[in-house]
């Protein structure tokens, strides 16, 4: 069902109509209470892996039952246009559901009232024990086990919530975010294992003592059991872990073993490896890589086994079977996978064996070939399983698999995993021809093996009669397919060369590259969604071979297409790699000649980057995935900024160049030069995608029922946000100093598109870039709406420059450079105002637009603002967070400042709520569109409040752990790459997990803004009290787990 702000459930008449037609013959189905659990990441196929059109399969009965309360409200007020029999069936089901749900809600409320205080009492006793321990060493020892318990508890609680009330498209992402944030939060305390399989793998490789392994496992299983017990009591449903029909136990156990192996392998390589996580120069991507294994495997096998990948999850979900169910078998399979991961780790990283000279170690060719085989195998298997199981997020899942393996094996073999990338590296001179041939063979063999395994699942799965083979999409020719594959393979290979083979900039003081895996994998996200319906979006000969092997071993019911498609695909992909190497020599000439001229390369980078961006936009508009379009465009923007940023700055947007010029960060003459290349790149891309998709065309205009005023204002606001983020994250001398530059700049900039794309895409089209506006509107040659969009966007750039001057007055050229004092209270309060305004407006517009990605979009806006304003005010942007920081002590904020922060946060939310209400009025003339914050049908006010309290506590705890603690001594840089990503991911996790319970606000200011937008305050005050309580609870738990922060003689934390 459509989701509103941060998962707030809503219902449209078309949704009700679809459910009615599907189930009019069996209305009793909708009233069943028992939930069929599917482990760590799904509730049947519909919890993780069902495609959007398959979201109403019986496997997710509990979620649909709870959504029916929304349906009955719509039925009462709208003409559904159903047949008489269908409408009678829906109305009867809704009436019965309303009567039954009252009894269920009362029972569950009583259960929560009984067990809630007991849980809080246990936590309080543990806290008193930990805080009163006499010896510092003993307190830190206890803190490790509390951290493991807490991290596993939050992970499993998120799983339980997603099973019961989550969303099929976003569940795996939500759970991955929960795992990632808890690893970042507890990793510097306990190592952040949160999984007995991980602890076993670490013990096998000598990275964890066996006694500690046993203690960790006990804490982890206890955390999982506590979470499932609380969740089952809360939702009033029984959870059952088992293979998902039509797959057998063998299929499920093999899937669990494989992805548990991948998970443990990534942990060992990214967190335990001496070369990949040096004790004197540690990486900051470890939790990102580990968490996104859940995205890879969750979508791939969520419909097979439930995607637990964790014995604590499996045993906890099987709690009601008392060990007699599938949980123990899942546990055995997962521990087997952990053992295999330890063996593979020793094979690819023999330098970590005792007595080896790590500093002078060079991998052998055999080790490199094994590395390439493993990476290609995991990538192709993930693609194949997503395809055969009908995943709604194949490109997202495949990109996650690629990123995890790149971060794991990048300093072993270079982590090509793609013959086209290998060809590009050979042409670039970074790989010898003989090694390149060996790499390509290993990669292809990995793809073949993975394709054969995927065929086994295809033959046994629900789509066994469907033929999956390489061929042009419906309505496209082989020429279109070939060009699409060539282009996006070129983009992928070019980004690899630019971010993984180029000398680091002088501002990068660490030898660790935190973003290269993210940037490369994002090309797969962009290309996969942009041209998936055209060519399949393989972008990799090994993937093409793997999919072909799948179709040969399990052909389905339709005859296979000609083999020429396979060879054509491979040829185009290899040509794409060669083109990437050729262009790279022109855009990065200093890699080959230190005396090369800079300006021609800069202008060429701006042309290429803008061309790639606008072409991706065109592909998404005409052939992309509605749910994922904004994410795909954000991914390609981020990747291209990382690729060309060190050369030209990576503007790729005339509005950005204009803002930089106004703020005196760029010469005026250079601004016009950049404009020329950006507009030329946009126009060329517009002509290209029109030729590719002819006769289909894209139209740029206000989207009904919104007026041009609404559309132009939306473009101006989010272009302002985009330019503001660029100025703060890339141009600011404080936030990105020449002596120690940050590596999050492109991540923050790209995610503005996710924030604004979902919020304003249904209003204006969400261009936020004059080159995009004119490129998309190229068919009108400047006589359509494109010129007005461009003018509005330039106005937004001017506003951004003004705001930047206000929040960073010391960045002005005439400012006193010797003044190193903290920003004034007025500046910090204004910073909080700006950040909350953007956050609340994004959430509000997502609600108005019934966005399918409300939590994802809102989290993106939060991340952008945190990275932009973290060094100004701390970027709390949430009264509950401010209260948590105050309660945690350590003089991070004083009472007076915290009161001022909360007032400014509330005023900003109120202002944004008023603005969002004007858009809501356009959708529903004469009335408000958004409901006031409150509990969803079938949940009591107490349940909704407790849900808000729990996940607000998680959010505040993450803030305290990643943004207010001492930097580890292993960091050579003072820049924190992940703090904004981790904090925002807490909103994604909570928004998806409890959006259908309480709306997933997690922020009293947002609740106030939504109340003003709705014109009714509803339960706003009660929710705010619960959320503030969550902030206080976070501060208490933080004192338990991070006791070294309170030791006057404490040394900096070690990894």
């Amino acid at each position: 069902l459509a989701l509103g702000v941060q998962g707030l459930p809503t219902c449209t008449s078309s949704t009700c109509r679809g459910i009615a037609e599907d189930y009019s013959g069996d209305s009793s189905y909708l009233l069943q209470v028992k939930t069929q659990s599917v482990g760590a990441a799904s509730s049947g196929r519909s919890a993780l892996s069902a495609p959007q059109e398959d979201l109403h399969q019986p496997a997710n009965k509990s979620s649909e039952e709870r959504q029916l309360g929304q349906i009955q409200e719509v039925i009462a007020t709208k003409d559904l246009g159903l047949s008489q029999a269908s409408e009678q069936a829906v109305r009867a089901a809704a009436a019965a559901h309303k009567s039954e749900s009252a009894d269920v809600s009362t029972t569950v409320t009583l259960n929560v009232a009984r067990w809630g205080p007991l849980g809080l009492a246990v936590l309080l006793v543990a806290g008193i024990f930990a805080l009163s321990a006499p010896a510092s060493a003993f307190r830190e020892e206890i803190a490790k086990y509390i951290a493991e318990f807490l991290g596993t508890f939050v992970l499993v609680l998120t799983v339980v919530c997603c099973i019961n009330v989550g969303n099929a498209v976003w569940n795996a992402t939500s759970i991955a975010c929960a795992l990632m944030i808890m690893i970042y939060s507890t990793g510097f305390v306990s190592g952040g294992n949160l999984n007995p399989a991980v602890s076993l793998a670490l013990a096998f490789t000598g990275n964890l003592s066996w006694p500690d392994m046993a203690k960790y496992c006990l804490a982890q299983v206890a955390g999982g059991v506590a979470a499932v017990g609380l969740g089952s009591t809360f939702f009033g449903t029984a959870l059952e872990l088992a293979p998902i029909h039509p797959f057998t136990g063998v299929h499920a156990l093999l899937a669990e073993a494989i992805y548990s192996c991948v998970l443990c392998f990534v942990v060992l390589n990214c967190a335990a490896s001496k070369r990949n996580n040096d004790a004197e120069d540690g990486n900051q991507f470890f939790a990102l890589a580990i968490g996104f294994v859940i995205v890879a495997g969750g979508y791939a096998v969520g419909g097979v086994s439930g995607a637990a990948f964790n014995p604590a999850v499996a045993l906890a979900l099987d709690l009601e079977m008392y060990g007699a169910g599938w949980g123990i078998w899942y546990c055995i399979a997962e521990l087997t996978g952990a053992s295999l991961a330890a063996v593979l780790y020793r094979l690819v990283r023999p330098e970590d064996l005792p007595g080896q000279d790590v500093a002078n170690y060079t991998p052998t060719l055999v080790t490199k070939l094994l590395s390439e085989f493993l990476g290609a195998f995991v990538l192709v298997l993930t693609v194949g399983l997503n395809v055969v199981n009908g995943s709604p997020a194949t490109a997202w899942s495949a990109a996650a698999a690629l990123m995890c393996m790149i971060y794991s094996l990048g300093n072993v073999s270079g982590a090509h995993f793609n013959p086209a990338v290998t060809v590009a590296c050979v042409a670039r001179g970074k790989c010898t021809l003989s090694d390149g041939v060996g790499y390509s063979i290993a990669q292809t063999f990995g793809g073949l093996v993975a394709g054969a395994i995927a065929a086994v699942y295809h033959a046994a799965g629900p789509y066994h009669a469907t033929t999956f083979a390489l061929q042009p999409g419906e309505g496209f020719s082989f020429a279109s397919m070939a060009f699409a594959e060539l282009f996006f393979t070129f983009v992928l290979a070019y980004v690899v060369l630019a971010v993984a083979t180029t000398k680091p900039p002088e501002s990068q003081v660490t030898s660790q590259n935190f973003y290269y895996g993210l940037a490369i994998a994002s090309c797969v996200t962009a290309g996969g969604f942009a041209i998936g319906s055209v060519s399949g979006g393989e972008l990799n000969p090994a993937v093409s071979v793997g999919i072909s092997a799948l179709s040969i071993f399990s052909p389905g019911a339709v005859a296979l297409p000609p083999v020429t498609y396979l060879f054509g695909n491979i040829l185009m992909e290899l040509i794409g790699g060669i083109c990437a190497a050729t262009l790279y020599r022109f855009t990065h000439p200093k890699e080959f000649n230190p005396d090369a001229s800079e300006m021609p390369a800069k202008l060429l980078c701006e042309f290429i980057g803008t061309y790639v961006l606008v072409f991706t936009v065109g592909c998404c508009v005409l052939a992309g995935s509605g749910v994922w379009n904004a994410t795909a465009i954000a991914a390609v923007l981020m990747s291209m900024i990382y690729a060309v940023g060190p050369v030209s700055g990576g503007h790729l947007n005339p509005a950005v160049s204009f803002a930089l010029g106004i703020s005196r960060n760029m010469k005026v003459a250079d601004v016009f030069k950049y404009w020329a290349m950006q507009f030329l790149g946009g126009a060329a891309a517009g002509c290209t995608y029109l030729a590719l998709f002819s006769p289909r065309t894209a139209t740029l205009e206000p989207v009904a029922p919104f007026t041009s005023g609404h559309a132009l204002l939306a473009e101006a606001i989010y272009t302002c946000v985009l330019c503001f983020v660029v100025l703060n994250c890339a141009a600011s001398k404080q936030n990105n100093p020449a002596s120690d530059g940050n590596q999050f700049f492109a991540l923050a900039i790209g995610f503005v598109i996710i924030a604004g794309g979902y919020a304003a895409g249904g209003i204006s089209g969400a261009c936020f870039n004059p080159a995009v506006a004119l490129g998309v509107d190229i068919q009108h040659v400047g006589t359509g709406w494109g010129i007005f969009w461009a003018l509005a966007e330039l106005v937004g750039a001017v506003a951004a420059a003004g705001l930047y001057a206000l929040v960073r007055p010391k960045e002005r050229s005439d400012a006193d450079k010797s003044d190193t004092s903290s920003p004034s209270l007025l500046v910090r309060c204004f910073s909080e105002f700006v950040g909350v305004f953007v956050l609340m407006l994004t959430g509000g517009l997502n609600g108005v637009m019934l966005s399918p990605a409300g939590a994802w979009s809102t989290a993106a806006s939060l991340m952008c603002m945190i990275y932009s304003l973290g060094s100004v005010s701390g970027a709390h942007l949430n009264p509950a967070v401010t209260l948590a920081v105050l309660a945690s002590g350590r003089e991070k904020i004083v009472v007076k400042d915290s009161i001022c922060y909360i007032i400014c946060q509330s005023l900003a939310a109120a202002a944004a709520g008023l603005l969002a209400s004007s858009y809501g009025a356009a959708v529903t003339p004469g009335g408000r569109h958004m409901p006031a914050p409150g509990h969803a049908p079938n949940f009591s006010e107490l349940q909704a409040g407790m849900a808000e309290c729990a996940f607000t506590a998680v959010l505040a705890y993450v803030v305290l752990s990643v943004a207010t603690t001492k930097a580890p001594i292993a960091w050579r840089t003072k820049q924190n790459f992940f703090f904004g990503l981790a904090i925002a991911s807490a909103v994604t996790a909570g928004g998806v997990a409890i959006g259908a319970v309480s709306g997933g606000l997690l922020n009293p200011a947002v609740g106030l803004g939504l109340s003003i937008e709705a014109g009714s305050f509803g339960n706003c005050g009660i929710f705010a009290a619960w959320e503030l309580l969550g902030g206080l609870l976070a501060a208490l738990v933080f004192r338990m787990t991070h006791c070294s922060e309170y030791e006057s003689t404490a040394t900096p934390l070690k990894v």
Side-chain angles (χ1 to χ4, degrees), residues 149-159 178 181-182 223 227 951 954:
F149 175 93
L150 175 67
T152 310
F153 177 86
V154 171
L155 170 63
V156 179
L157 183 62
T158 305
V159 169
I181 64 177
M182 295 315 296
F951 280 93
V954 172

Side-chain angles (χ1 to χ4, degrees), residues 124 145 226 665 803 809 848 906 1011:
L124 181 61
Y145 308 123
N665 285 287
L803 291 174
V848 168
S906 301
S1011 296

Side-chain angles (χ1 to χ4, degrees), residues 926-947:
R928 303 286 183 173
H929 186 73
M930 281 293 296
H935 59 90
N938 305 321
F939 291 100
S940 68
E941 185 178 285
L942 174 62
Q943 287 173 289
M946 291 183 67

Side-chain angles (χ1 to χ4, degrees), residues 336-351:
T336 301
S339 304
L340 178 59
V343 173
L344 293 175
Y345 173 72
R346 286 303 190 198
L347 292 175
V348 298
R349 291 193 181 274
E351 74 274 16

